[in-house]
Short mmCIF file of all heavy atoms in Angstrom, two decimals:
data_model
loop_
_atom_site.label_atom_id
_atom_site.label_comp_id
_atom_site.label_asym_id
_atom_site.label_seq_id
_atom_site.Cartn_x
_atom_site.Cartn_y
_atom_site.Cartn_z
N LYS A 30 80.37 85.97 98.54
CA LYS A 30 81.64 85.90 99.18
C LYS A 30 82.06 84.40 99.35
O LYS A 30 81.26 83.64 99.87
CB LYS A 30 81.56 86.53 100.59
CG LYS A 30 82.86 86.51 101.32
CD LYS A 30 82.78 87.23 102.64
CE LYS A 30 84.09 87.17 103.37
NZ LYS A 30 84.02 87.87 104.72
N ILE A 31 83.25 84.07 98.87
CA ILE A 31 83.70 82.72 98.91
C ILE A 31 84.30 82.45 100.26
O ILE A 31 85.14 83.14 100.76
CB ILE A 31 84.75 82.52 97.81
CG1 ILE A 31 84.20 82.85 96.46
CG2 ILE A 31 85.27 81.04 97.83
CD1 ILE A 31 83.04 81.98 96.02
N PRO A 32 83.90 81.31 100.93
CA PRO A 32 84.52 80.93 102.15
C PRO A 32 85.81 80.22 101.91
O PRO A 32 86.06 79.79 100.79
CB PRO A 32 83.52 79.96 102.79
CG PRO A 32 82.91 79.29 101.65
CD PRO A 32 82.83 80.36 100.56
N PHE A 33 86.65 80.06 102.91
CA PHE A 33 87.85 79.36 102.81
C PHE A 33 88.81 79.98 101.78
O PHE A 33 89.59 79.33 101.08
CB PHE A 33 87.66 77.87 102.41
CG PHE A 33 86.41 77.25 102.91
CD1 PHE A 33 85.68 76.39 102.13
CD2 PHE A 33 85.99 77.41 104.18
CE1 PHE A 33 84.55 75.77 102.54
CE2 PHE A 33 84.81 76.87 104.63
CZ PHE A 33 84.07 76.05 103.83
N ALA A 34 88.71 81.31 101.54
CA ALA A 34 89.41 81.94 100.47
C ALA A 34 90.80 82.39 100.97
O ALA A 34 91.14 82.26 102.11
CB ALA A 34 88.65 83.14 99.97
N SER A 36 93.40 84.81 102.42
CA SER A 36 93.16 85.90 103.35
C SER A 36 94.43 86.71 103.57
O SER A 36 95.46 86.52 103.00
CB SER A 36 92.72 85.26 104.70
OG SER A 36 93.81 84.71 105.33
N GLY A 93 88.05 78.31 98.59
CA GLY A 93 86.70 77.77 98.83
C GLY A 93 86.38 76.53 98.02
O GLY A 93 85.19 76.18 97.92
N GLY A 166 96.66 77.51 102.74
CA GLY A 166 95.74 78.39 103.53
C GLY A 166 94.36 78.10 103.26
O GLY A 166 94.00 77.73 102.07
N SER A 167 93.50 78.22 104.20
CA SER A 167 92.02 78.10 104.08
C SER A 167 91.68 76.76 103.51
O SER A 167 91.96 75.75 104.10
CB SER A 167 91.51 79.23 103.16
OG SER A 167 90.18 79.42 103.33
N ALA A 168 91.02 76.65 102.26
CA ALA A 168 90.71 75.39 101.74
C ALA A 168 91.97 74.52 101.51
O ALA A 168 91.95 73.32 101.79
CB ALA A 168 89.94 75.55 100.42
N ALA A 170 94.55 74.64 103.40
CA ALA A 170 94.89 74.19 104.70
C ALA A 170 94.09 72.94 105.09
O ALA A 170 94.64 71.99 105.68
CB ALA A 170 94.70 75.30 105.74
N TRP A 204 97.54 77.78 107.54
CA TRP A 204 96.97 79.02 108.14
C TRP A 204 95.54 79.09 107.69
O TRP A 204 95.10 78.62 106.60
CB TRP A 204 97.78 80.24 107.58
CG TRP A 204 97.98 80.34 106.17
CD1 TRP A 204 97.25 81.09 105.24
CD2 TRP A 204 99.02 79.73 105.37
NE1 TRP A 204 97.72 81.01 104.00
CE2 TRP A 204 98.77 80.11 103.99
CE3 TRP A 204 100.00 78.77 105.66
CZ2 TRP A 204 99.61 79.63 102.99
CZ3 TRP A 204 100.81 78.36 104.64
CH2 TRP A 204 100.59 78.79 103.31
N ASP A 205 94.71 79.71 108.60
CA ASP A 205 93.26 79.83 108.33
C ASP A 205 92.60 78.52 108.06
O ASP A 205 91.65 78.40 107.25
CB ASP A 205 93.01 80.74 107.09
CG ASP A 205 93.33 82.17 107.37
OD1 ASP A 205 93.40 82.58 108.52
OD2 ASP A 205 93.53 82.96 106.40
N ALA A 206 92.97 77.48 108.81
CA ALA A 206 92.48 76.16 108.51
C ALA A 206 91.14 75.87 109.00
O ALA A 206 90.76 76.18 110.16
CB ALA A 206 93.46 75.12 109.04
N GLN A 207 90.31 75.19 108.19
CA GLN A 207 89.11 74.52 108.70
C GLN A 207 89.51 73.09 109.06
O GLN A 207 90.05 72.37 108.23
CB GLN A 207 88.01 74.45 107.65
CG GLN A 207 87.53 75.82 107.17
CD GLN A 207 88.31 76.32 105.99
OE1 GLN A 207 88.70 75.64 105.11
NE2 GLN A 207 88.66 77.65 106.00
N THR A 208 89.33 72.73 110.32
CA THR A 208 89.74 71.41 110.77
C THR A 208 88.61 70.41 110.63
O THR A 208 88.79 69.16 110.82
CB THR A 208 90.17 71.47 112.23
OG1 THR A 208 89.09 71.98 113.04
CG2 THR A 208 91.36 72.39 112.38
N SER A 209 87.38 70.87 110.30
CA SER A 209 86.23 69.98 110.07
C SER A 209 85.37 70.64 108.97
O SER A 209 85.40 71.90 108.88
CB SER A 209 85.45 69.78 111.33
OG SER A 209 84.22 69.08 111.03
N TYR A 210 84.71 69.84 108.16
CA TYR A 210 83.74 70.38 107.20
C TYR A 210 82.36 69.84 107.53
O TYR A 210 81.51 69.75 106.61
CB TYR A 210 84.18 70.02 105.83
CG TYR A 210 85.44 70.73 105.43
CD1 TYR A 210 86.71 70.10 105.38
CD2 TYR A 210 85.44 72.08 105.14
CE1 TYR A 210 87.87 70.75 105.10
CE2 TYR A 210 86.60 72.77 104.85
CZ TYR A 210 87.79 72.09 104.79
OH TYR A 210 88.96 72.79 104.48
N PHE A 215 80.43 73.14 112.84
CA PHE A 215 80.36 74.62 112.71
C PHE A 215 79.39 75.17 113.77
O PHE A 215 79.71 76.20 114.38
CB PHE A 215 79.78 74.95 111.32
CG PHE A 215 80.59 74.50 110.16
CD1 PHE A 215 80.01 74.36 108.90
CD2 PHE A 215 81.95 74.18 110.35
CE1 PHE A 215 80.82 73.93 107.82
CE2 PHE A 215 82.72 73.70 109.22
CZ PHE A 215 82.13 73.60 107.99
N ILE A 219 82.01 77.04 115.95
CA ILE A 219 82.20 78.31 115.24
C ILE A 219 81.10 79.28 115.51
O ILE A 219 81.32 80.45 115.71
CB ILE A 219 82.36 78.03 113.68
CG1 ILE A 219 83.41 76.96 113.45
CG2 ILE A 219 82.71 79.34 112.96
CD1 ILE A 219 84.76 77.25 114.06
N GLY A 220 79.86 78.82 115.54
CA GLY A 220 78.77 79.66 115.88
C GLY A 220 78.33 80.60 114.73
O GLY A 220 78.66 80.37 113.57
N ARG A 222 76.22 81.96 111.86
CA ARG A 222 75.39 81.23 110.93
C ARG A 222 76.23 80.63 109.81
O ARG A 222 75.78 80.37 108.73
CB ARG A 222 74.37 82.18 110.31
CG ARG A 222 73.36 82.75 111.33
CD ARG A 222 72.44 83.80 110.67
NE ARG A 222 71.80 83.27 109.50
CZ ARG A 222 71.42 84.08 108.47
NH1 ARG A 222 71.63 85.40 108.50
NH2 ARG A 222 70.78 83.52 107.41
N PHE A 223 77.49 80.31 110.16
CA PHE A 223 78.43 79.78 109.14
C PHE A 223 77.90 78.46 108.56
O PHE A 223 78.17 78.16 107.42
CB PHE A 223 79.85 79.62 109.76
CG PHE A 223 80.82 79.11 108.79
CD1 PHE A 223 81.08 79.77 107.60
CD2 PHE A 223 81.52 77.94 109.02
CE1 PHE A 223 82.01 79.28 106.63
CE2 PHE A 223 82.47 77.44 108.15
CZ PHE A 223 82.70 78.12 106.97
N ALA A 224 77.26 77.63 109.35
CA ALA A 224 76.76 76.36 108.90
C ALA A 224 75.72 76.55 107.74
O ALA A 224 75.47 75.54 107.08
CB ALA A 224 76.14 75.59 110.06
N HIS A 226 76.15 78.54 105.14
CA HIS A 226 76.76 79.17 103.96
C HIS A 226 76.29 78.56 102.69
O HIS A 226 76.08 77.32 102.56
CB HIS A 226 78.26 79.06 104.03
CG HIS A 226 78.96 80.02 103.12
ND1 HIS A 226 78.99 79.85 101.73
CD2 HIS A 226 79.62 81.17 103.34
CE1 HIS A 226 79.66 80.84 101.20
NE2 HIS A 226 80.02 81.69 102.16
N TYR A 269 96.38 81.34 113.02
CA TYR A 269 95.20 82.08 112.74
C TYR A 269 95.44 83.63 113.08
O TYR A 269 96.29 83.94 113.92
CB TYR A 269 94.04 81.64 113.66
CG TYR A 269 93.57 80.25 113.30
CD1 TYR A 269 94.07 79.13 113.97
CD2 TYR A 269 92.59 80.04 112.28
CE1 TYR A 269 93.70 77.81 113.61
CE2 TYR A 269 92.20 78.76 112.02
CZ TYR A 269 92.69 77.67 112.67
OH TYR A 269 92.33 76.38 112.34
N GLU A 271 92.44 85.97 112.64
CA GLU A 271 91.16 86.65 112.99
C GLU A 271 90.91 86.72 114.48
O GLU A 271 91.56 85.94 115.27
CB GLU A 271 90.02 85.93 112.33
CG GLU A 271 89.95 86.11 110.82
CD GLU A 271 88.67 85.63 110.21
OE1 GLU A 271 87.78 85.07 110.94
OE2 GLU A 271 88.49 85.76 108.96
N LEU A 276 81.64 84.47 117.53
CA LEU A 276 80.72 85.14 116.55
C LEU A 276 79.36 85.36 117.24
O LEU A 276 78.90 84.49 117.94
CB LEU A 276 80.54 84.24 115.34
CG LEU A 276 81.75 84.04 114.40
CD1 LEU A 276 81.37 83.10 113.32
CD2 LEU A 276 82.19 85.41 113.85
N PRO A 281 76.53 86.93 109.78
CA PRO A 281 76.11 86.38 108.46
C PRO A 281 76.82 85.08 108.16
O PRO A 281 77.90 84.78 108.70
CB PRO A 281 76.53 87.47 107.47
CG PRO A 281 77.62 88.27 108.16
CD PRO A 281 77.21 88.19 109.60
N PRO A 282 76.24 84.26 107.34
CA PRO A 282 76.86 82.93 106.97
C PRO A 282 78.25 83.05 106.37
O PRO A 282 78.96 82.09 106.33
CB PRO A 282 75.82 82.34 105.98
CG PRO A 282 74.52 82.98 106.31
CD PRO A 282 74.90 84.35 106.71
N THR A 283 78.56 84.18 105.84
CA THR A 283 79.89 84.40 105.18
C THR A 283 80.99 84.58 106.27
O THR A 283 82.18 84.57 105.86
CB THR A 283 79.87 85.59 104.28
OG1 THR A 283 79.35 86.72 104.98
CG2 THR A 283 79.00 85.32 103.05
N GLU A 284 80.66 84.78 107.51
CA GLU A 284 81.69 84.90 108.58
C GLU A 284 81.94 83.61 109.32
O GLU A 284 81.00 82.89 109.64
CB GLU A 284 81.26 86.03 109.55
CG GLU A 284 81.22 87.39 108.87
CD GLU A 284 80.95 88.48 109.92
OE1 GLU A 284 80.97 88.17 111.16
OE2 GLU A 284 80.69 89.62 109.52
N GLY A 285 83.19 83.35 109.58
CA GLY A 285 83.51 82.20 110.39
C GLY A 285 84.46 81.16 109.74
O GLY A 285 84.98 80.30 110.41
N ALA A 286 84.71 81.35 108.43
CA ALA A 286 85.47 80.30 107.72
C ALA A 286 86.93 80.25 108.22
O ALA A 286 87.49 79.19 108.15
CB ALA A 286 85.48 80.64 106.25
N HIS A 287 87.42 81.31 108.78
CA HIS A 287 88.85 81.33 109.26
C HIS A 287 88.89 81.59 110.74
O HIS A 287 89.91 82.13 111.24
CB HIS A 287 89.62 82.40 108.47
CG HIS A 287 89.54 82.24 107.00
ND1 HIS A 287 89.61 83.31 106.11
CD2 HIS A 287 89.57 81.11 106.28
CE1 HIS A 287 89.55 82.87 104.82
NE2 HIS A 287 89.53 81.51 104.96
N HIS A 288 87.88 81.29 111.47
CA HIS A 288 87.83 81.59 112.89
C HIS A 288 88.83 80.72 113.69
O HIS A 288 88.92 79.52 113.41
CB HIS A 288 86.45 81.40 113.48
CG HIS A 288 86.20 82.09 114.75
ND1 HIS A 288 86.70 81.68 115.94
CD2 HIS A 288 85.57 83.28 114.97
CE1 HIS A 288 86.33 82.49 116.87
NE2 HIS A 288 85.68 83.51 116.37
N PRO A 289 89.57 81.30 114.62
CA PRO A 289 90.49 80.55 115.41
C PRO A 289 89.87 79.39 116.21
O PRO A 289 90.61 78.49 116.67
CB PRO A 289 91.08 81.57 116.34
CG PRO A 289 90.93 82.90 115.65
CD PRO A 289 89.65 82.80 114.94
N ALA A 290 88.56 79.38 116.37
CA ALA A 290 87.90 78.32 117.15
C ALA A 290 88.02 76.98 116.42
O ALA A 290 87.73 75.91 117.05
CB ALA A 290 86.45 78.64 117.34
N PHE A 291 88.45 76.97 115.16
CA PHE A 291 88.72 75.69 114.48
C PHE A 291 89.87 74.97 115.11
O PHE A 291 89.97 73.75 114.99
CB PHE A 291 88.98 75.92 113.02
CG PHE A 291 87.77 76.02 112.09
CD1 PHE A 291 87.37 77.27 111.57
CD2 PHE A 291 87.05 74.89 111.78
CE1 PHE A 291 86.27 77.35 110.74
CE2 PHE A 291 85.94 74.95 110.95
CZ PHE A 291 85.51 76.19 110.46
#
Side-chain angles (χ1 to χ4, degrees):
K30 182 177 179 180
I31 302 296
F33 327 139
S36 74
S167 199
W204 52 99
D205 288 341
Q207 299 88 42
T208 58
S209 172
Y210 293 104
F215 301 158
I219 308 306
R222 296 172 55 208
F223 180 58
H226 198 284
Y269 294 93
E271 290 191 357
L276 291 176
T283 51
E284 292 186 12
H287 303 145
H288 199 282
F291 274 107

